[in-house]
Amino acid sequence: MTTKPNLPELRIKNAWLLRENASVHIHKLFAKEGVEMCDHKSINKTVVRYSKAWVPQQKQILTAMCDIMGLEFRQNIIDVYIAPWFYAFSDPMVIGIKMTQKEFVSNLTHELIHRLLTDNTSLPYDYDLISIWGELFGKNHAITTLVHIPVHAIHKAIIVDVLNDPSIKDDDLERCLGFEGKDGDYVKSWEYVDKHDYKKIIEKLKGSYKS
């Protein structure tokens, strides 16, 4: 009998402090002339829009990534900060405001996989995973490619085996091609996953966490 993983509570929030202390300065540097900074009210609307897309799928996606890896999140609450002029990163969890609802769910899933792999109840949060992943997948990869091989393998398992929507992966690869070209690090990590079979990659990963 398998036990259900303890899933974290996700709080999708208007990152108003980040907006006032970082986004405004980025806006001054890069915004086109005459384009005003989005206000507090508009970001709140984005938070609502993102939440409506995420909440119905939250339990299914979080359960899937925990089950796939046999891991549990160390944190019981994860804040997801929404701020202008950012794209997405996992620690702290920050996501920008320009995504469609489908893109947001895909990107949040991606960032949560990063968080699960690096901050779980099986390993110390500062464990040297880069060395382990280099041994598993090859030390010749750029760091960005190397850290995204496990992320994309797990994401593909969720996309194919849980959500049954291959278009999510196609859309993500198209975005990667758009901002970094065919020789980019994210594209290379997707190519590695497609070439080496996401299921085999996941089995190697699981073995490394157990050992």
Side-chain angles (χ1 to χ4, degrees), residues 43-187:
I43 299 175
N44 279 340
K45 288 181 178 179
T46 300
V47 169
V48 171
R49 180 168 61 86
Y50 284 172
S51 298
K52 284 182 178 178
W54 171 256
V55 170
Q57 301 181 72
Q58 174 175 273
K59 185 176 181 181
Q60 183 185 32
I61 292 173
L62 289 174
T63 300
M65 65 178 70
C66 291
D67 286 348
I68 287 165
M69 281 302 297
L71 297 174
E72 287 191 358
F73 289 90
R74 184 177 295 275
Q75 295 175 306
N76 58 9
I77 296 175
I78 297 176
D79 289 323
V80 183
Y81 297 105
I82 309 303
W85 287 102
F86 290 90
Y87 188 65
F89 47 88
S90 63
D91 191 11
M93 190 81 67
V94 180
I95 295 182
I97 64 172
K98 297 292 187 180
M99 298 179 189
T100 66
Q101 288 178 301
K102 185 176 181 180
E103 288 170 343
F104 174 76
V105 171
S106 178
N107 277 277
L108 181 52
T109 301
H110 176 116
E111 302 307 334
L112 286 166
I113 295 168
H114 274 301
R115 183 68 67 89
L116 178 63
L117 290 173
T118 58
D119 196 11
N120 54 69
T121 58
S122 296
L123 292 175
Y125 74 93
D126 56 352
Y127 195 81
D128 182 13
L129 289 166
I130 299 298
S131 296
I132 300 297
W133 293 343
E135 293 292 337
L136 293 178
F137 310 122
K139 298 179 181 179
N140 58 321
H141 299 293
I143 291 294
T144 301
T145 299
L146 184 60
V147 301
H148 281 91
I149 288 170
V151 171
H152 285 155
I154 298 166
H155 200 176
K156 186 171 182 178
I158 295 171
I159 290 167
V160 173
D161 301 326
V162 180
L163 300 178
N164 192 28
D165 187 357
S167 70
I168 298 171
K169 186 256 181 176
D170 296 337
D171 291 345
D172 189 76
L173 181 56
E174 186 176 341
R175 284 193 297 275
C176 293
L177 286 165
F179 70 75
E180 66 174 9
K182 63 182 179 64
D183 295 321
D185 294 340
Y186 288 87
V187 174

